Amino acid sequence: MDLARFAIEKRLISALATILILFGGYFAYTALPRFEDPEFIIRTAQIVTPYPGASAEEVADEVTEVVENALQQLAGVKEVKSISMSGRSQVTVEFTIASTKNRDQLAQKFTQMRAKVSDVQGSLPPNALTSQIFDDYGDVYALYFAITGEGYSLSEIYEYGKDLQRELVIVEGVSKVVLSGVQNEVIFVEYEPARLIELGLAPTQVAGLLEGQNLVTPAGSLSAGPARLTVRAPAAVDSIAAIENLVLVNPQNGASYRLRDIATVRRGYEDPPTSMLFRNGKPAIGLGISNNIGGNVVNMGDKVKARMDALISERPIGIEIETISDQSSSVRASVNDFVMNVVLALAIVVGTLLVFMGLRSGLLMGGILLVTVAGTLLGMYFYGLDMQRISLGALIIALGMLVDNAIVVVEGTLVRVQKGEDPAPASIAVVNQTKWPLLGGTIVGFLAFSPIGFSPDNTGEYAGSLFWTVSIALLFSWLVAIWLTPYFCTLLLKPGKADEKGENFILRGYRRFLHLAIRIRWVTIAIVVGLFVSAVAMFSMVPPGFFPASTRTQFVVDYFLPEGADIELTRQHMTEISEHARSLPGVTGTNTTVGGGHLRFMLTYEAGDPSSAYGQILVDVEEYRQIADLIPQMQNWIDERFPAGNAKVWKFLLGPGGGAKIEARFYGPDAIVLRELAGAAKEVMAEKGAIAIKDDWEAMRPVIRPVINIENARRLGLSQGDILTAVNGHLVGTQIGIYREAEELRPIVMRPFGRARDDAAKLQDVQIFSNSAGAYVPIAQVVDRFELVFENSRLRRFDRSLAITAQSDPPQGMLSGDLFEAVRGPVDAMTLPPGYWMTWEGEYGSSSEANEGLAATMPIGIGAMVVVVLLLFNAIRQPLIIWLTVPLALIGVIWGLALSGTALEFMAILGILSLAGMLIKNAIVLIDETDSQIGAGKERMRAVIDAAVSRVRPVSLGVLTTVLGVIPLLWDPFFKSLAVVIICGLSFATLLTLIVVPVLYTVFFRISPGADAEVPAE
C-alpha cells in the first residue's frame, strides 16, 4: 500500500489521524504508571526456621541442610543461599528469570516451594519450630513514615499506628500497610529466686494456674423455649490486678499464697528487644505503605496523604508523623525533571532544525516530532510500559533519532521542490525511493538495543524498558515518515521556480576534501587505523564502573559491633552517631534502626541481616551534592570514636547493586580454613587502603558452656533439658501464660529480678526444681563448671557450599575499580588448599554478571542486524563496508570518556551499542544513495562523491539533533556516561563515516579516482 499517496489524497483522514494521535499521546502521558525505578520482579523468598538453643553448626547440619535439600529439588532455581545462626536458620531461594517470567509463574513456584518446605517439617529435629515462609520479600513500601510522640510510650504510639493502619489499608491503590520497630509488650512476673525456693514453689505451678484461669474453653449451650442460649464465661484474668490476686497452693504443705505476695507483676517490653526505630533520636514506630502492582505510586501517595490529612483531627496532640521516604514525591519530581529535559531536548532539536532547514521546514519537522512523541507515548501505554528513569531516559535518547527518517523525506522533498517540482508528487517519489532503506536502518537502530532488552539477568530486566521504548519510538517515527510526513509537506512546502543555486562553501569544501581522501585512499585508511589504535591504547585511562551514585538526598551509615554484642550497647553507639550526624551542616534529620535494617522503601534497597550488633542510619540532607563532603567526615569520626566497631558510610546507587564494592568469596569444607583465607584477604585489603573491612561471618562469639555431670543429674531425676530449661528460666524467663487484651495476646513471662539475671556469678546459685524429688536441687550438684568458649556466630552457604566473603570499600576519593585492581593480584596469588576455590563478587561480580547477560544476547542482536543489512542490499561488499566503519565509534567514545573522566558504566556500554545502530543507519542511507546513482547510469566516481555530498545535510542534521538532544542528560548522573558516549562517539564517528565509507566504497568496488582533477558539482 502506498501510504504517502493515501495520506495526501485522503487529507481529512490524515488530519483526523494526527489529531487522534496527539490526544492519544496526551491521554497516555496522564495515564501511564509512574515509578522512581523500573518495576522488576524480586524472585526471592526466605524460609526462616527457629531452632532455640542450637549452635550455628547444629542449625546448619540439622535444619539448614534439610531445607536446602528440599529447595534444590525445585525446577528453575537460580541460587540457594543460607545463614545458619545460633538458634535460627535463614534460607533464601532465588528463581531464574526464564522460569518465572511473570508474577503468575512466580506465584506457582512459590506454591511448589511451600509444598516442599511443608513436606520436610517432619524431618526437622524435635525442638525446631515450624518453618516460616516469607514470599513477600520483594515488596516495596513506597511511602515510609516514622510515628513519634513526645510524652507517649511506645505502646501508645503503636496503638495509634494500628488505628492508622486500618484506615490507610482501604485507600484506593494501597496494597499493604505494615508497622515496624514494634516492641512487643510483655507481662512480667518477677521474683526473688531465694523467696520461691523458701516457699517450695516452682514456675511451672504458676504456669498451670494461669493456663487454667485464662483458657478460652467452650461451656456448651442449652434450650430455653424457642431459643438456644450459649454458656460463655468472661476472661478470669482481665487485668494486672487479677493476675496479682491469683492464689497458689503448695502441694507439699497445703499453704496458699497470692501471686503478689511472692512476685511483682508489671508491664514491659520484650527483653532484649529484637529491633528498634528512632526518628531524630526519638523512639518511633515505622509505617510502610506499598502500592498495588502496576499502580501509579504518585496517585496512591496523593490519596494516602489526603486520607491522613482528613484524619488529622483524630490524631492525639503530640503525635507526629514524619517522612522517612516518600517515593510519590520523588517520582513526581523525577518525572517533572525528565519532562523538562524532554521539553528542553525538544526545543534544542526544533531550534536546530529551524536554523539549518529554514522556517517552514523547521516548523514541519517540529510538528512531525511532536506527533511522533505522542505516538510513542501511546504505544508505551498499549504495550504496558510505565514512566520511570529508564523509559524517560530512552525517550530523550530517541528524541534526536526520531527525526532521522523524517529528515530524509523532508530533505529529499525540499530538494525536488526547490527544483520546481510539486510537493505532493515529490514527497511520494522520495518516500517510495527511501522507505525500505529507512526501514532497514530503523530496524538496525533498535536492534542495537536488543542485547539489553533480552538480557537474561536482573540488570537486563531493570533496564529492559530502554529497548522497548526505543523500538516503539523508532518504528513509529518510520511510520510517520512514510505516512503523515508527505501530507505535512503539502501543507508547508510550496512549489516554486527551479532554483539553480549551487552548493554552499561547506559542501564545496567537503567535496574537495573527500576527493583528496579518495585520491590518497591508503593514507586515509592508515590515518583512521592509527586513530583507532590510539583509542585502544588510551582505554586504560577510562575509569571502570557499574551504576552511578543516586541523587537521593539521603546517605547511609551501616555500623557493626562484634557479633554477640548487647543490643543496648548497639543502641547507645547508634544514638551517639546519629546525634553527631545531626550536628553536621546540611543534615536535616536521621532515621535510625537498631537490630536490623529498614523496610524495603525502594526497589534497589536491601536491608542487612537481623543482628543485635548491627544498626543503620538514613541521614537526610538538604541537597545531594553535600553528601560527598559529609561521607568522609562521618566515616573518619566513627572510626576514631568507636575503634571496636566497623562502620561503612555510603550513598545509594542508581540501579541494581549495592553492598560492599570489593568482595572475595572463598568456598570450602572447613570453617577454620575459610576464616584463615578470609583473614589473609582482609589483610591485603587493609594494606591497599580499603575501609569498612570485614567478613560476612563476623567474629566468633564467646559462649558460656555448662559442663554437666550426667551421672549426678540422672541420680537426681534431672535431664540435660531440665537443667538448661532452668538456666533459661533464670536468665530469660519462662512463659507461663497468655494475657488477652483486646486483639492482642501478650505473653506472661516469669523471671527473676534483673539483679539476679545480669550477674554471671549468680549462675552458680541457680536452683533446679526436680519433679521426682518435689524439691529444688542446686545447680552445682549437676554442673561441674562453666566454660567460656568461642564458636561461629553464623555460617553461610551458597548452593550448598560453605562460603565466607571478605568485604571492603574504597576510601573517599579512590575509585572502586582502582582498589579492585590493587587487591586482585595479591588475592588471586593466594595458595588455596585442595577442595577450596575463590570467586570475585561485589561490584566486579555484579558488573560481570550484567556484561555476561549482554554477551549472551549480543550475538543474536548483532546477527539480526547483519541479516537485515544483507537482505537490504542483497550483496556482500556493501554490508562489509558498513560493518568496517562500526568500530570507528570507539575512537570518539574512548577519547571522550578518558578526557572527561567519565566511568565506563553499564549505561555507557548501552550507549556504545546504540552508536552501532546509529552509524549503520547513516551508512545504509549513504551507500543506498550511491548504489542508486550508479544504477541510474552516473559515472561511478562522480556518483560516490555526489551521493556523499547529497547525504551531508540529512546525516549531519540527524547527528546534530541526536547529539544536542541528549545534552540535558549530561546533568543526570544515571545517563551521564551514556550521553558522553553518544555525544563524543557519534560526533567523531560521523565525521569519519562521511569520509571513510566513500573511501572504502572506492576500494571494495575498485573505483579509480582518475586524474588529479577534482570532480566538480553538477
Side-chain angles (χ1 to χ4, degrees), residues 315-387:
R315 185 186 305 171
I317 296 174
I319 293 286
E320 299 290 339
I321 300 177
E322 300 179 79
T323 301
I324 298 177
S325 176
D326 181 1
Q327 203 175 107
S328 65
S329 297
S330 60
V331 168
R332 176 182 280 109
S334 176
V335 170
N336 289 343
D337 288 345
F338 267 110
V339 169
M340 287 304 300
N341 283 340
V342 170
V343 171
L344 180 60
L346 186 64
I348 291 173
V349 170
V350 172
T352 303
L353 296 171
L354 285 171
V355 170
F356 289 96
M357 297 189 71
L359 180 62
R360 286 181 176 272
S361 298
L363 292 175
L364 173 60
M365 291 304 307
I368 293 170
L369 184 58
L370 189 61
V371 172
T372 306
V373 170
T376 301
L377 291 172
L378 193 59
M380 290 173 61
Y381 176 80
F382 285 124
Y383 193 75
L385 297 176
D386 40 49
M387 293 181 74

Side-chain angles (χ1 to χ4, degrees), residues 590-870:
T590 57
N591 311 282
T592 306
T593 58
V594 181
H598 289 269
L599 295 175
R600 188 192 287 266
F601 54 88
M602 56 190 294
L603 194 60
T604 55
Y605 168 83
E606 187 170 346
D609 296 321
S611 170
S612 63
Y614 169 61
Q616 186 181 76
I617 306 175
L618 298 179
V619 183
D620 302 329
V621 297
E622 296 171 349
E623 218 276 329
Y624 82 92
R625 293 181 180 85
Q626 298 169 319
I627 294 176
D629 294 328
L630 289 170
I631 284 180
Q633 294 180 50
M634 283 295 297
Q635 185 73 57
N636 295 335
W637 184 87
I638 297 171
D639 291 344
E640 293 175 4
R641 180 67 183 84
F642 300 107
N646 190 313
K648 175 187 173 183
V649 187
W650 53 282
K651 291 190 289 187
F652 288 104
L653 290 180
L654 287 171
K661 296 289 187 182
I662 311 298
E663 292 186 340
R665 182 172 296 159
F666 297 90
Y667 299 81
D670 189 89
I672 296 176
V673 176
L674 289 176
R675 280 193 178 275
E676 292 174 351
L677 293 172
K682 289 191 289 184
E683 288 179 3
V684 172
M685 294 172 179
E687 291 172 1
K688 302 303 180 182
I691 62 170
I693 303 170
K694 64 184 184 72
D695 63 66
D696 59 356
W697 283 16
E698 306 297 343
M700 297 185 74
R701 65 184 298 177
V703 175
I704 297 174
R705 179 175 295 169
V707 179
I708 298 173
N709 189 318
I710 301 297
E711 291 184 4
N712 286 352
R714 287 177 179 171
R715 189 164 49 250
L716 294 169
L718 296 173
S719 65
Q720 179 171 313
D722 295 331
I723 298 169
L724 296 179
T725 299
V727 174
N728 182 71
H730 176 83
L731 297 174
V732 179
T734 304
Q735 183 170 330
I736 59 175
I738 291 292
Y739 176 58
R740 305 202 315 272
E741 189 172 46
E743 75 274 17
E744 299 289 342
L745 299 177
R746 309 195 189 281
I748 303 174
V749 175
M750 190 169 185
R751 65 181 187 177
F753 286 112
R755 55 183 174 272
R757 296 194 315 272
D758 299 336
D759 188 353
K762 296 285 188 181
L763 281 175
Q764 298 288 351
D765 301 332
V766 171
Q767 301 282 325
I768 307 165
F769 191 83
S770 172
N771 290 318
S772 60
Y776 280 93
V777 176
I779 195 172
Q781 293 187 16
V782 292
V783 173
D784 292 337
R785 64 188 181 277
F786 291 93
E787 296 178 341
L788 185 66
V789 298
F790 287 85
E791 63 179 33
N792 289 303
S793 57
R794 60 186 64 199
L795 297 172
R796 293 180 185 262
R797 297 202 294 207
F798 291 84
D799 288 330
R800 314 292 294 279
S801 296
L802 200 62
I804 185 172
T805 307
Q807 303 170 321
S808 65
D809 287 277
Q812 187 70 14
M814 185 179 190
L815 294 172
S816 57
D818 294 338
L819 176 61
F820 177 72
E821 290 303 323
V823 168
R824 184 177 186 177
V827 174
D828 282 341
M830 289 170 54
T831 302
L832 304 182
Y836 292 80
W837 68 99
M838 189 271 290
T839 60
W840 288 105
E841 305 298 330
E843 187 177 87
Y844 175 81
S846 300
S847 178
S848 297
E849 182 182 357
N851 292 338
E852 286 171 7
L854 286 179
T857 54
M858 199 176 296
I860 300 174
I862 293 177
M865 292 162 69
V866 171
V867 169
V868 169
V869 177
L870 286 172

Side-chain angles (χ1 to χ4, degrees), residues 187-189 203-217 235-248 259 265 734-740 746-750:
I187 308 299
F188 288 113
V189 179
T204 53
Q205 293 174 279
V206 183
L209 176 67
L210 278 169
E211 183 179 7
Q213 295 289 344
N214 214 28
L215 282 178
V216 177
T217 306
V237 180
D238 58 359
S239 67
I240 299 296
I243 298 176
E244 292 177 325
N245 289 325
L246 291 174
V247 177
L248 290 87
L259 188 57
V265 182
T734 304
Q735 183 170 330
I736 59 175
I738 291 292
Y739 176 58
R740 305 202 315 272
R746 309 195 189 281
I748 303 174
V749 175
M750 190 169 185

Side-chain angles (χ1 to χ4, degrees), residues 761-1006:
K762 296 285 188 181
L763 281 175
Q764 298 288 351
D765 301 332
V766 171
Q767 301 282 325
I768 307 165
F769 191 83
S770 172
N771 290 318
S772 60
Y776 280 93
V777 176
I779 195 172
Q781 293 187 16
V782 292
V783 173
D784 292 337
R785 64 188 181 277
F786 291 93
E787 296 178 341
L788 185 66
V789 298
F790 287 85
E791 63 179 33
N792 289 303
S793 57
R794 60 186 64 199
L795 297 172
R796 293 180 185 262
R797 297 202 294 207
F798 291 84
D799 288 330
R800 314 292 294 279
S801 296
L802 200 62
I804 185 172
T805 307
Q807 303 170 321
S808 65
D809 287 277
Q812 187 70 14
M814 185 179 190
L815 294 172
S816 57
D818 294 338
L819 176 61
F820 177 72
E821 290 303 323
V823 168
R824 184 177 186 177
V827 174
D828 282 341
M830 289 170 54
T831 302
L832 304 182
Y836 292 80
W837 68 99
M838 189 271 290
T839 60
W840 288 105
E841 305 298 330
E843 187 177 87
Y844 175 81
S846 300
S847 178
S848 297
E849 182 182 357
N851 292 338
E852 286 171 7
L854 286 179
T857 54
M858 199 176 296
I860 300 174
I862 293 177
M865 292 162 69
V866 171
V867 169
V868 169
V869 177
L870 286 172
L871 292 175
L872 198 60
F873 288 101
N874 191 31
I876 297 295
R877 285 181 289 183
Q878 290 93 332
L880 191 57
I881 295 170
I882 291 172
W883 283 100
L884 283 174
T885 62
V886 170
L888 301 181
L890 293 177
I891 301 174
V893 167
I894 295 174
W895 279 85
L897 291 174
L899 294 178
S900 65
T902 305
L904 182 63
E905 297 167 344
F906 184 77
M907 297 307 294
I909 295 174
L910 295 187
I912 293 172
L913 295 177
S914 68
L915 273 182
M918 296 177 192
L919 289 178
I920 291 171
K921 185 177 181 180
N922 288 337
I924 285 174
V925 174
L926 176 54
I927 292 179
D928 179 74
E929 179 66 20
T930 304
D931 288 346
S932 297
Q933 292 197 19
I934 291 175
K938 184 177 286 189
E939 188 270 324
R940 293 198 305 167
M941 185 62 189
R942 181 178 294 278
V944 169
I945 294 181
D946 285 352
V949 172
S950 69
R951 293 293 96 192
V952 168
R953 188 157 80 158
V955 168
S956 299
L957 278 176
V959 170
L960 194 60
T961 54
T962 302
V963 167
L964 295 178
V966 299
I967 282 179
L969 293 183
L970 287 172
W971 289 272
D972 187 295
F974 188 77
F975 287 102
K976 179 183 176 182
S977 62
L978 184 143
V980 170
V981 165
I982 290 179
I983 291 171
C984 298
L986 188 60
S987 301
F988 194 73
T990 300
L991 291 175
L992 291 178
T993 300
L994 288 172
I995 301 297
V996 174
V997 169
V999 169
L1000 290 178
Y1001 195 97
T1002 62
V1003 171
F1004 276 80
F1005 286 90
R1006 299 177 181 176

